[in-house]
Amino acid sequence: MEYKESKNSSNDRTEKSSCISTNTGPILASVDGVDATGKKKKNKKRKGKEVGESGITHLSDNLSAVTKSNNDLGKKSPKTTFDLKKLGEILQNSESKAQEGKGEKQHGKKKKQKLKAENSTEGSNKLEKLSTNEKPNRKENKEMTLKERMTNQLKAARFRYLNEKLYTQSGDLAMEMFKKDRESYLVYHEGFQTQVAKWPTNPVDVIIEELKKCNQRTVIADFGCGDAKIARSLPLKVHSFDLVAINKYVTACNMAKVPLSNSTVDVAVFCLSLMGTNLKDYLTEANRVLKKNGTMKVAEVSSRFNSVPRFLLTVEKFGFKLTSQDDSNKMFIMLNFKKTGLPKTGAPDFKLHPCVYKKR
């Protein structure tokens, strides 16, 4: 009976050990009296005691390992806590920066709105100023434009009147007219220059290019020179004649009586200047001042000629012979003559159609 009790007590201790081992994890592969398959082993009491003691030892070792592991975890926890704090700080900083950026954005938006409002106000003020100030200016501009237009129309009308008078009277009468009213010549000259500016080619420029080929001793007489463009453009001796001396290059005279000696000129020029009712006197005077074999250049509007061949035959009677003719320009005809002798007795009077400028 005693043996049984001891056996039971031993079994009780074994069961208690088994329970402790189970709570601490898979520590023992087997316990006293029980194998891995749950079958009882027939061991002696001593062996059971040894096994129980070794199981307890093993249990204590495992418990110490678990404690050490927990301690290790406890040591690492501050590091984890530090990282979390740092992460929190980073998140907090990022949030604060985001708030700052949002604030700056809102501030910039408000600033833009303010500038926009200021610009709109300024623009409206400008518009108000323009609306109040421009009306009188526009009125003034319209009045000025109307005044200028009326002035230009009056000048154009006066130019057409003077132009007609020059074509329908002699050189003496034309000179007398401009002596009495010098301003009328200035009006005529200004109107003529306005007309010339509209032409694709100015014939005086063509003549200047031809005269540039002459030698330095060439003497030129420019009949009806206007503003003496030939004299101003060439380094040659040029006598410039017109009804009024508009500048220092011009000698005021009747082209039928120029202050030159006989046979002293190499080239005589009539560029758009065969005007009036005494064209016979002009060609006679040109023959007088020209040297023998001298050149006479004539440039006229094509529409003035009723018949160019008839005009050429008439000019030959004044002691000239045609040397070249250029009618390539639709508006003008360019003629070159050579002096062959004195005018024939009874050289006829002749006329050209007046150059009438239409009202525009």
Side-chain angles (χ1 to χ4, degrees), residues 322-333:
L322 180 69
T323 57
S324 67
Q325 177 178 335
D326 182 5
D327 52 6
S328 59
N329 191 297
K330 292 180 181 180
M331 291 184 66
F332 308 103
I333 185 168

Side-chain angles (χ1 to χ4, degrees), residues 121-185:
T121 308
E122 192 177 333
S124 62
N125 292 335
K126 283 183 180 178
L127 286 173
E128 286 176 6
K129 285 180 182 178
L130 286 171
S131 62
T132 54
N133 293 334
E134 274 188 0
K135 285 181 181 177
N137 289 337
R138 283 178 182 172
K139 194 174 180 181
E140 281 179 18
N141 291 336
K142 283 182 181 178
E143 287 177 359
M144 287 296 291
T145 304
L146 181 62
K147 186 178 179 181
E148 287 175 359
R149 284 173 59 192
M150 292 299 295
T151 303
N152 291 336
Q153 287 178 3
L154 288 170
K155 285 181 179 180
R158 196 173 179 189
F159 165 73
R160 288 193 298 273
Y161 168 76
L162 293 170
N163 184 68
E164 184 179 352
K165 292 289 285 181
L166 289 173
Y167 279 108
T168 56
Q169 64 184 9
S170 66
D172 289 331
L173 291 175
M175 190 171 182
E176 191 67 26
M177 178 181 68
F178 287 136
K179 272 185 178 180
K180 290 179 181 179
D181 185 9
R182 182 182 171 82
E183 185 185 351
S184 62
Y185 179 80

Side-chain angles (χ1 to χ4, degrees), residues 3 27 88 90 95 167 229 340:
Y3 175 76
I27 299 169
I90 292 168
E95 285 178 5
Y167 279 108
K229 188 173 183 179
T340 56

Side-chain angles (χ1 to χ4, degrees), residues 214-234:
C214 297
N215 59 57
Q216 296 296 319
R217 292 178 295 177
T218 302
V219 179
I220 302 166
D222 187 3
F223 291 82
C225 64
D227 59 357
K229 188 173 183 179
I230 294 175
R232 293 184 290 109
S233 303
L234 298 174

